Amino acid sequence: MKKLTGLAVAMAASIASTAMAEDKVVRMGTEGYYPPFNYFDASGNVVGFDIDIGNALCEEMQVKCEWVTTDWAGIIPALNSNKFDTIIASMSITAERAEVVSFSDPYYFNGSQFVVAGDGSLGSAMPSDLAGKVIGTQESTLEVKTLQAYFKDSEIRLYPKLDDALLDLDNGRLDAVYAGQVVLGEWLAKEDGACCQFVGEATRSDGNLGTGIAVRQEDTELLAALNGAIEAIMANGTYAEIRDRYFDFDIMEKPKTTSEMYN
């Protein structure tokens, strides 16, 4: 009887522990304007690769995901102000950002590339090809630093959202847009992108250590749980299943760096 009672207590504790884990909510912060990684569907729900990965990680950690959207420029301050618990918004891991947040292991690598209007007559999109041209990109991104470092003879215009820059390119107010190649490829595949085409090669910004999930620096337990879940979904096939919904290439492959390209 004592053995049965002890077993019942242990089972009850296990059930309570599981219920507590499932009741725990992790608030996932994202932007919503970076398809196919994070964007709004016709019903206004945020969807995309980042969202599917986040949901898979929550399932692995036995917690509930709650999605919160915010503007890109203020996303790190919003995290540190406790508006949400993580940033999973295709954020590149850099030493500068790591001074104010902690990052998970990378869950993909993203190269950046130029799209130009017209017939693509701007050569290979080297700095000399784009001298005197107007280039747009989204503010507070690594692309800004690349343009400022290597394209000093071009006019650089910054936009709160990448969509705004692409609209100006489509309307002839920009000569080129520089951004993540996957996002630009998604845009070019739509009717909106009929005006334009890729030029040059995709590169990875200097200091870009891959795309990770950001958490507040004091949230060490959450960071460890996220890294464990990333490892688990990569090992059990869940990551590959999600990746294949969006891409037909290996997004863990590292593109060459901008210094390798332009120096």
Side-chain angles (χ1 to χ4, degrees), residues 114 116 121-135 147 150-156 175-176 199 262:
F114 287 96
V116 300
S121 59
L122 294 178
S124 299
M126 297 299 284
S128 58
D129 297 319
L130 295 174
K133 304 299 182 182
V134 185
I135 306 171
L147 293 174
Y150 296 103
F151 292 81
K152 297 180 180 179
D153 293 327
S154 302
E155 180 184 341
I156 301 166
D175 296 301
V199 293
Y262 300 125

Side-chain angles (χ1 to χ4, degrees), residues 143-248:
E143 284 83 3
V144 176
K145 293 187 175 182
T146 296
L147 293 174
Q148 291 173 340
Y150 296 103
F151 292 81
K152 297 180 180 179
D153 293 327
S154 302
E155 180 184 341
I156 301 166
R157 293 183 187 171
L158 305 182
Y159 294 81
K161 295 181 175 65
L162 182 60
D163 285 352
D164 299 332
L166 293 170
L167 180 62
D168 273 3
L169 179 67
D170 199 7
N171 291 332
R173 291 188 285 269
L174 292 174
D175 296 301
V177 166
Y178 183 59
Q181 66 175 140
V182 176
V183 175
L184 294 178
E186 184 88 354
W187 179 71
L188 287 172
K190 298 177 181 177
E191 184 177 353
D192 290 344
C195 66
C196 312
Q197 61 182 287
F198 278 122
V199 293
E201 294 183 42
T203 59
R204 178 166 50 97
S205 299
D206 295 328
N208 179 349
L209 303 178
T211 301
I213 302 169
V215 302
R216 289 180 290 275
Q217 291 182 329
E218 63 270 23
D219 288 344
T220 54
E221 289 186 9
L222 176 57
L223 182 63
L226 286 166
N227 280 332
I230 290 170
E231 183 178 2
I233 68 170
M234 287 187 172
N236 66 22
T238 301
Y239 179 88
E241 180 184 342
I242 295 170
R243 179 198 60 209
D244 291 348
R245 295 176 199 164
Y246 295 90
F247 315 111
D248 58 1

Side-chain angles (χ1 to χ4, degrees), residues 31 33 70-74 137-141 157-165 168:
E31 183 197 20
Y33 293 96
T70 192
D71 290 340
W72 175 257
T137 195
Q138 186 176 14
E139 65 186 12
S140 302
T141 61
R157 293 183 187 171
L158 305 182
Y159 294 81
K161 295 181 175 65
L162 182 60
D163 285 352
D164 299 332
D168 273 3

